[in-house]
Amino acid sequence: VQLQASGGGLVQAGGSLRLSCAASGRTFSNYAMGWFRQAPGKEREFVAAVNWSGDSTYADSGKGRFTISRDNIQNTVYLQMNSLKPDDTAVYYCAGARTYTTGTHYSQYDYWGQGTLVTVSS
């Protein structure tokens, strides 16, 4: 599976962005998909994940502000981010795991996109 993330950019605090991750491969619907982020000097951290049936899991930092979703026809997973804060500034990566369940650690994922930069200004 190849993953291509897009949708990052510069936004003011309180604004919104929607990230997209397009996947190639016939078995996309069988994969759990996740979003992670990495800020400069920090470890890659979990943001959100969704399993094949649409059940989602969120990090506390994004609960109530972020929504992950997937379109198994379009082979795309989305991350809608609202009420963005400067602390959300990071490179965001989409990831895929050959499992039906969602994982919250980057070691649980098998495939990674190239990352898309999100910058939130104060």
Side-chain angles (χ1 to χ4, degrees):
V1 174
Q2 292 185 327
L3 304 176
Q4 181 74 35
S6 62
L10 174 64
V11 63
Q12 289 187 333
S16 299
L17 281 175
R18 188 176 82 155
L19 306 183
S20 299
C21 178
S24 63
R26 297 177 297 171
T27 58
F28 171 80
S29 61
N30 294 339
Y31 287 64
M33 299 297 297
W35 287 97
F36 289 76
R37 67 186 184 186
Q38 189 165 17
K42 295 187 177 180
E43 288 191 355
R44 190 167 298 190
E45 65 175 5
F46 171 74
V47 176
V50 60
N51 69 5
W52 67 278
S53 64
D55 296 327
S56 56
T57 302
Y58 296 92
D60 288 343
S61 59
K63 283 181 180 177
R65 300 188 299 126
F66 296 174
T67 303
I68 189 171
S69 61
R70 66 189 297 161
D71 183 335
N72 289 336
I73 303 299
Q74 297 295 326
N75 283 3
T76 303
V77 62
Y78 303 97
L79 184 69
Q80 177 67 43
M81 303 187 294
N82 299 327
S83 303
L84 283 161
K85 307 173 183 178
D87 284 349
D88 295 318
T89 295
V91 177
Y92 283 71
Y93 298 90
C94 63
R98 294 190 302 264
T99 175
Y100 290 125
T101 58
T102 54
T104 60
H105 194 270
Y106 60 80
S107 64
Q108 296 173 285
Y109 288 79
D110 306 293
Y111 304 99
W112 291 87
Q114 85 288 2
T116 185
L117 177 62
V118 172
T119 304
V120 184
S121 63
S122 57

